[in-house]
Amino acid sequence: MNKKLLGLGLAFGAGIGAGLLVNKCCKKTEYPMYVEGTEKDINSSKIEIIRAKKLKKKKEDPKDYQFGKTYTDHMLEIDYDEETKFSVPRIVPFHNFSMHPATSVLHYGITAFEGMKAYKDKDENIRFFRPMKNMNRFLESGRRLALPDFDPEELLKCIEMLVWLERDWIPNIKGYSCYLRPVILGTDPFIGIKPSHKFKICVFMCPVGPYYSDGFTGIQLHAQKKYLRAWEGGTGGNKLGGNYAPTLLPIKIGVKMDCKSVLFLDHENKITEAGAMNCMILWINENSEKELITPSLDDNTILPGITRESILTLAREWGECKVTEGSITIKELIKAFNEKRLLEMFGCGTAAIISPITSFIYKDKTYEISDKKDVGKFGIKLFNTILDIQHGYIEHEWSHKIEEKDF
């Protein structure tokens, strides 16, 4: 297939799902939204559990688990139909889906997802990190796809039951966890651009170690604006499947330049995100202030990362630097580099927590911020603090402990 046509097709398909909300609003199509207390919403108290007859063999050493390669024995499924509303939640053996060829998710990108983790502390308690942030963002992503609301607290209760059932899969090693992937899929078997009358919520798990197997070392990024990740009025602030496929080509181009990923710029050359991560810069600004700056969420081009928000909160509490949600252009970044005001730069997100950016390439010139092993004290402090909260070494309101389940 012609590569240009394939690229156009991918971009068209990725954009249609998000465009359904606009289509819905223009046609004034009314969909039932969540009303607290309704029996037609997700109901965790009615959950059904069907156990796998044969369990998978776990690896003796959790360090042998590669990120996203091994999946646990069970998964959570909740179906929605416009006529019957939400089905009874079911925890079932992990299995493949069977789909009609016309299923809407396959054609119009009607899908959103989340990324969260389950941890064990030293006393074998199971913990989440700020899970309601994930649930509420998941809800907002569904709304952007014109899907009906659900009760995020009830969904979290269902997820807790899945995690409790699969608790033996969670490695009890600091830095290791079980990654959870909640996903929502439009399942209407219909060829046509309209909101999906049917969808499925699914949650599955996989044991994981550190995102980068070679350890906490710096990465190099390719800064470019030929391929935009998001734009004002678009869906960059939602975690939709259609946001990610179009980034694969620029990332692939960057890999050929010995870069781990891409530093995305917008049409005004402002820094937006570092691959699939939020981007943070620690520098001395032109007012001679030590400042941590990250792109703001104002125009909905930046994903409201939970790790991002946590970093900003911690940095403000510590008071070591000014904390700003604003904008910075690649020209300003290079100027700071040339004037030796660029102290640290890193990406942040659920998978890696902190990913130090020790160099970037822009217009065929490489800018070495630091040695790959000299990743910056501020980033390391943030990484260790968040990791300690996640694993319960630091008691914190962000650490959500799962109560023991009786089933």
Side-chain angles (χ1 to χ4, degrees):
M1 182 183 288
N2 183 284
K3 290 184 178 180
K4 187 173 289 186
L5 289 176
L6 176 60
L8 288 170
L10 283 171
F12 179 70
I16 286 175
L20 291 176
L21 180 62
V22 177
N23 184 47
K24 170 186 169 184
C25 294
C26 292
K27 290 190 174 183
K28 298 186 183 300
T29 306
E30 294 297 330
Y31 270 71
M33 291 299 182
Y34 165 64
V35 178
E36 187 174 358
T38 178
E39 293 183 359
K40 295 181 178 180
D41 205 323
I42 296 172
N43 190 336
S44 62
S45 67
K46 294 184 178 180
I47 196 165
E48 295 178 354
I49 299 175
I50 303 171
R51 296 175 184 265
K53 293 180 179 179
K54 185 178 180 181
L55 301 181
K56 299 172 185 175
K57 186 177 180 180
K58 300 176 181 65
K59 295 183 184 294
E60 292 184 8
D61 188 349
K63 294 179 182 179
D64 292 333
Y65 287 120
Q66 294 182 359
F67 202 99
K69 294 285 188 180
T70 302
Y71 300 94
T72 67
D73 296 296
H74 299 86
M75 61 197 288
L76 170 69
E77 286 186 320
I78 306 170
D79 290 301
Y80 177 90
D81 184 279
E82 187 179 30
E83 298 298 324
T84 58
K85 312 310 177 194
F86 287 94
S87 69
V88 171
R90 301 168 74 234
I91 294 175
V92 297
F94 188 90
H95 65 97
N96 293 335
F97 292 144
S98 176
M99 288 187 175
H100 191 285
T103 301
S104 56
V105 66
L106 302 177
H107 300 268
Y108 307 115
I110 304 178
T111 181
F113 65 95
E114 272 302 318
M116 52 193 297
K117 290 180 178 179
Y119 313 85
K120 276 185 179 174
D121 63 23
K122 61 183 183 299
D123 299 316
E124 296 285 322
N125 295 308
I126 302 169
R127 296 173 180 262
F128 288 150
F129 182 73
R130 311 188 77 181
M132 280 308 300
K133 291 285 183 181
N134 291 99
M135 295 298 97
N136 289 326
R137 189 173 65 181
F138 194 43
L139 176 63
E140 287 299 322
S141 293
R143 286 173 174 167
R144 189 63 178 87
L145 296 172
L147 297 175
D149 279 12
F150 55 85
D151 185 342
E153 292 186 1
E154 283 296 297
L155 178 57
L156 180 58
K157 290 177 184 177
C158 293
I159 293 174
E160 286 183 359
M161 284 187 257
L162 171 66
V163 171
W164 180 258
L165 181 65
E166 301 286 70
R167 60 192 180 278
D168 290 342
W169 280 96
I170 306 173
N172 192 10
I173 302 175
K174 189 176 180 182
Y176 289 72
S177 58
C178 253
Y179 186 85
L180 279 75
R181 172 51 58 89
V183 60
I184 192 165
L185 308 167
T187 55
D188 224 355
F190 178 81
I191 293 292
I193 303 174
K194 67 177 184 62
S196 187
H197 292 260
K198 298 180 180 181
F199 65 85
K200 178 188 290 288
I201 294 175
C202 171
V203 184
F204 55 89
M205 304 170 53
C206 52
V208 297
Y211 187 72
Y212 295 116
S213 58
D214 52 354
F216 197 72
T217 56
I219 61 171
Q220 179 169 258
L221 299 185
H222 172 221
Q224 60 82 50
K225 73 169 185 177
K226 180 180 179 180
Y227 302 98
L228 298 182
R229 191 198 73 87
W231 48 90
E232 187 173 355
T235 62
N238 304 104
K239 205 167 177 65
L240 309 187
N243 291 352
Y244 292 83
T247 68
L248 299 178
L249 177 60
I251 289 173
K252 184 177 180 180
I253 293 170
V255 168
K256 291 180 179 179
M257 302 169 67
D258 196 28
C259 296
K260 278 279 188 181
S261 193
V262 174
L263 183 62
F264 286 102
L265 309 177
D266 69 9
H267 64 286
E268 295 180 332
N269 276 321
K270 294 176 184 176
I271 291 165
T272 62
E273 293 200 350
M277 299 179 289
N278 293 125
C279 185
M280 299 267 177
I281 295 162
L282 183 69
W283 66 349
I284 305 299
N285 64 27
E286 293 195 343
N287 294 322
S288 301
E289 301 167 307
K290 188 176 182 180
E291 178 181 48
L292 180 68
I293 185 168
T294 191
S296 75
L297 307 178
D298 292 345
D299 59 5
N300 200 47
T301 60
I302 303 298
L303 185 71
I306 293 146
T307 306
R308 172 191 181 278
E309 182 183 323
S310 303
I311 287 171
L312 295 176
T313 300
L314 289 172
R316 288 180 177 121
E317 289 176 354
W318 293 346
E320 297 177 17
C321 59
K322 180 180 179 180
V323 179
T324 301
E325 295 178 71
S327 65
I328 175 173
T329 65
I330 189 69
K331 182 179 178 180
E332 290 171 321
L333 183 70
I334 291 172
K335 186 173 187 287
F337 173 87
N338 290 333
E339 294 175 358
K340 302 188 184 306
R341 293 186 288 107
L342 182 54
L343 306 178
E344 294 182 35
M345 188 171 174
F346 51 86
C348 60
T350 297
I353 306 178
I354 297 288
S355 186
I357 301 165
T358 50
S359 61
F360 63 92
I361 298 173
Y362 181 63
K363 292 186 176 180
D364 298 325
K365 184 174 180 180
T366 300
Y367 297 86
E368 299 277 355
I369 301 170
S370 66
D371 182 84
K372 283 192 175 184
K373 293 184 179 180
D374 180 20
V375 294
K377 294 181 180 178
F378 195 71
I380 291 175
K381 182 179 178 181
L382 286 165
F383 176 84
N384 288 330
T385 301
I386 292 174
L387 195 65
D388 282 345
I389 293 171
Q390 290 172 341
H391 285 272
Y393 291 95
I394 297 175
E395 284 295 340
H396 199 283
E397 62 180 350
W398 292 345
S399 183
H400 175 85
K401 193 183 298 184
I402 298 178
E403 295 180 359
E404 184 174 339
K405 309 298 177 185
D406 185 19
F407 55 73

